[in-house]
């Protein structure tokens, strides 16, 4: 009887070890994508701008969604986060609502937090207009 219990204990240990090896060899967990929208004050436009962060490949895309005379802009804050409304960088899309989106590729460690805020502004002067809320995901 003792040999049977010892054999079962050994089989349980071996099964646990095989499960851990299987987890270690599995692909990395996916991050969380983020999409943000900048408000529009022009009738007929639900959003002035949109920004998207694709966690796979860490790709930012900025869209101008409204022909309102403003350029689309997205503020990006990457962990560790800035305080007092700070951010790490901005991405402008001056291509107008009929133009192509602007894409920026970055590289972050898996699990790095990424927050974005979409808005609009005057591209040539770099002055901000108005922004929507912040939203966050992970690389």
């Amino acid at each position: 009887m003792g040999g049977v219990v010892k054999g079962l204990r050994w089989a349980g240990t071996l099964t646990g070890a095989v499960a851990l090896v299987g987890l270690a060899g599995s692909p990395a967990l996916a991050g969380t994508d983020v999409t943000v929208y900048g408000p529009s004050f022009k009738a007929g436009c639900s959003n002035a701008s949109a920004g998207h962060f694709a966690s796979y490949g860490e790709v930012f895309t900025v869209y101008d969604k409204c022909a309102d005379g403003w350029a689309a802009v997205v503020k990006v804050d990457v962990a560790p986060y800035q305080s007092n409304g700070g951010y790490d960088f901005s991405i402008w899309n001056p291509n107008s609502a009929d133009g192509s989106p602007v894409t920026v590729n970055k590289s972050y460690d898996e699990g790095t937090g990424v927050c974005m805020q979409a808005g609009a502004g005057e591209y040539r002067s770099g002055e901000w207009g108005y922004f929507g809320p912040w939203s966050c995901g992970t690389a």
Side-chain angles (χ1 to χ4, degrees):
M1 181 81 171
V4 171
V5 171
K6 190 183 258 185
L8 288 175
R9 213 177 311 160
W10 172 248
T13 303
L14 184 59
T15 302
V18 169
L20 287 175
V21 169
L23 284 175
S26 64
L29 296 175
T32 307
D33 291 2
V34 180
T35 301
V36 291
Y37 297 95
S40 176
F41 296 108
K42 181 178 178 183
C45 293
S46 56
N47 303 105
S49 60
H52 181 75
F53 170 70
S55 60
Y56 183 77
E58 296 86 35
V59 178
F60 295 91
T61 307
V62 179
Y63 304 88
D64 190 328
K65 305 293 280 178
C66 182
D68 56 5
W70 294 85
V73 61
V74 170
K75 295 178 187 177
V76 179
D77 195 9
V78 180
Y81 299 119
Q82 306 289 323
S83 60
N84 298 322
Y87 57 94
D88 291 303
F89 60 93
S90 61
I91 304 168
W92 286 86
N93 178 345
N95 298 333
S96 77
D98 295 330
S100 59
V102 170
T103 302
V104 174
N105 293 325
K106 295 284 188 174
S107 180
Y108 302 116
D109 290 336
E110 183 179 323
T112 299
V114 175
C115 296
M116 298 182 356
Q117 183 183 35
E122 212 303 304
Y123 178 69
R124 284 177 288 219
S125 69
E127 291 186 36
W128 308 119
Y130 43 87
F131 283 87
W134 286 93
S135 187
C136 302
T138 56

